[in-house]
Amino acid sequence: MARPPADQSRTGLRLMHVHAHPDDESSKGAASTAKYVAEGVDVHVVTCTGGERGSVLNEKMDRPEVWENISEIRREEMHRARDILGIRQDWLGFVDSGWPEGDPKPPLPEGCFALVPLEESAERLVRLIREFRPHVMTTYDERGGYPHPDHIRCHEVSVAAFEAAGDPERYPDAGEPWQPMKLYYHHGWSWAKTDALHRAMLDHGLESPYAERLEKWDREPDWDDRITTKVPCGDYFGVRDQALLAHATQIDPDGMWFAIPREIQQTVWPTEDYELVSSTVESTLPEDDLFAGIPIPAP
């Protein structure tokens, strides 16, 4: 997928995304990632787990040899997506907690990411923050985006590490202190976005994949109002889609991820949306840039 022309005007800025599993970096914020990479921003994705207990969601990949090698395959998928997005990426090194099913739900597996003491998992992330020295960090909201145990833990670890990384008294053996200037939560599917895409599909005489979802939606206007920052990145939806497809065990090319034509997405909702939750710099809300208020460092 050809990228739009790059201008490299923001070389020197650094952005860190913290995600729970391989594929999350491509399904959440990948177009804004590609936009910033094209502008010269150094983008670092931290993947908390290997996705070892994830389901195979693409029926074409639901084969015995895939299940037998799922850890290696998901790692290879992440590396392909990394190269498509033009990012650097590190594994935090924890084991996927899986999605507990049943009523009541079973206990989480011993040793999984969600059960590791917060001080231990946060220290690993603090080390990476102090090494990479990001100006901006993003992660999930307190609900995890959706209530997977690893997504909720990813939120907790990210917030704890953001708060500790600049404190010389916290984790003194984890590198020189560095305080990122801004922390954002990623907001993927607000009601307004879903409804706008649904209506656009109907206006074009196409079947919407969101009709049933909208009927059952328990709206929370206050939650959607938390969005502060909309990053224009529609020109990079194609790069996002290629990164998604790299995760072949998780993404069905004939599935819902690609049910809305890209042209409709680019016209109706050409942004990826975030919530600014902490900042040491001045910026005016609403924003259209994760680096609003942050000057480009001198060479």
Side-chain angles (χ1 to χ4, degrees), residues 16 19 25 29 74 76 102 106-107 112-113 120 132-134 146 162 165 175 201 206 208 219 249 270 277 295:
M16 175 180 280
H19 288 290
E25 85 296 326
R74 295 213 67 189
E76 291 170 1
C112 71
F113 175 50
E120 178 182 338
F132 180 63
R133 300 163 70 85
Y146 79 109
F162 177 87
M201 290 291 281
L206 301 171
S208 168
R219 290 191 61 187
T249 57
V277 292

Side-chain angles (χ1 to χ4, degrees), residues 19 21-28 47 51 57 74 77-78 81 140 151 243-244 247 249-251 257:
H19 288 290
H21 308 111
D23 77 74
D24 289 326
E25 85 296 326
S26 297
S27 61
K28 302 166 186 66
T47 312
L57 302 178
R74 295 213 67 189
E77 291 174 344
M78 179 69 246
Y140 313 138
H151 281 245
L244 275 168
H247 293 282
T249 57
Q250 298 291 296
I251 304 297
W257 282 108

Side-chain angles (χ1 to χ4, degrees), residues 5-282:
D7 61 20
Q8 299 293 297
S9 61
R10 312 184 87 181
T11 299
L13 292 172
R14 295 179 297 277
L15 170 63
M16 175 180 280
H17 300 302
V18 187
H19 288 290
H21 308 111
D23 77 74
D24 289 326
E25 85 296 326
S26 297
S27 61
K28 302 166 186 66
S32 44
T33 290
K35 162 189 154 59
Y36 284 123
V37 168
E39 293 173 353
V41 176
D42 192 357
V43 181
H44 186 178
V45 164
V46 178
T47 312
C48 293
T49 79
E52 301 89 349
R53 291 190 171 100
S55 301
V56 175
L57 302 178
N58 179 357
E59 63 179 18
K60 302 176 187 67
M61 296 291 289
D62 191 0
R63 307 190 303 268
E65 65 272 21
V66 171
W67 283 106
E68 291 167 5
N69 298 285
I70 192 66
S71 295
E72 293 80 5
I73 289 171
R74 295 213 67 189
R75 184 171 288 266
E76 291 170 1
E77 291 174 344
M78 179 69 246
H79 292 166
R80 285 196 290 272
R82 175 197 66 195
D83 293 344
I84 289 166
L85 292 171
I87 59 175
R88 65 171 86 185
Q89 183 261 345
D90 277 296
W91 304 93
L92 209 57
F94 295 105
V95 176
D96 191 337
S97 304
W99 177 257
E101 295 185 272
D103 187 14
K105 293 182 177 180
L108 293 174
E110 185 177 349
C112 71
F113 175 50
L115 296 182
V116 172
L118 184 60
E119 283 289 305
E120 178 182 338
S121 46
E123 180 177 13
R124 292 195 195 180
L125 183 54
V126 166
R127 287 182 181 275
L128 290 175
I129 293 170
R130 290 177 177 175
E131 177 184 337
F132 180 63
R133 300 163 70 85
H135 299 96
V136 174
M137 285 179 59
T138 79
T139 190
Y140 313 138
D141 60 59
E142 63 271 23
R143 298 178 181 177
Y146 79 109
H148 190 294
D150 287 338
H151 281 245
I152 294 171
R153 197 55 159 175
C154 178
H155 159 81
E156 294 168 347
V157 169
S158 300
V159 171
F162 177 87
E163 293 174 349
D167 185 346
E169 296 184 1
R170 301 285 305 279
Y171 308 111
D173 298 325
E176 289 295 317
W178 173 264
Q179 181 58 57
M181 298 178 184
K182 299 173 90 173
L183 175 67
Y184 289 90
Y185 296 159
H186 181 261
H187 283 253
W189 288 94
S190 64
W191 183 90
K193 174 180 178 178
T194 308
D195 182 63
L197 292 170
H198 168 74
R199 292 177 182 277
M201 290 291 281
L202 299 182
D203 289 345
H204 284 80
L206 301 171
E207 182 179 356
S208 168
Y210 302 132
E212 184 177 352
R213 183 177 180 182
L214 285 165
E215 287 177 6
K216 297 179 179 179
W217 198 301
D218 185 11
R219 290 191 61 187
E220 297 179 275
D222 290 347
W223 184 267
D224 287 353
D225 287 347
R226 288 171 50 165
I227 294 171
T228 61
T229 310
K230 294 176 175 286
V231 179
C233 53
D235 288 346
Y236 296 87
F237 285 177
V239 182
R240 172 205 64 190
D241 291 349
Q242 291 302 308
L244 275 168
L245 289 168
H247 293 282
T249 57
Q250 298 291 296
I251 304 297
D252 183 351
D254 300 318
M256 197 174 76
W257 282 108
F258 303 101
I260 308 290
R262 190 183 303 154
E263 294 79 7
I264 290 180
Q265 296 181 52
Q266 290 171 322
T267 300
V268 173
W269 208 274
T271 66
E272 289 178 337
D273 305 337
Y274 298 84
E275 174 189 354
L276 177 63
V277 292
S278 182
S279 180
T280 64
V281 298
E282 294 288 334

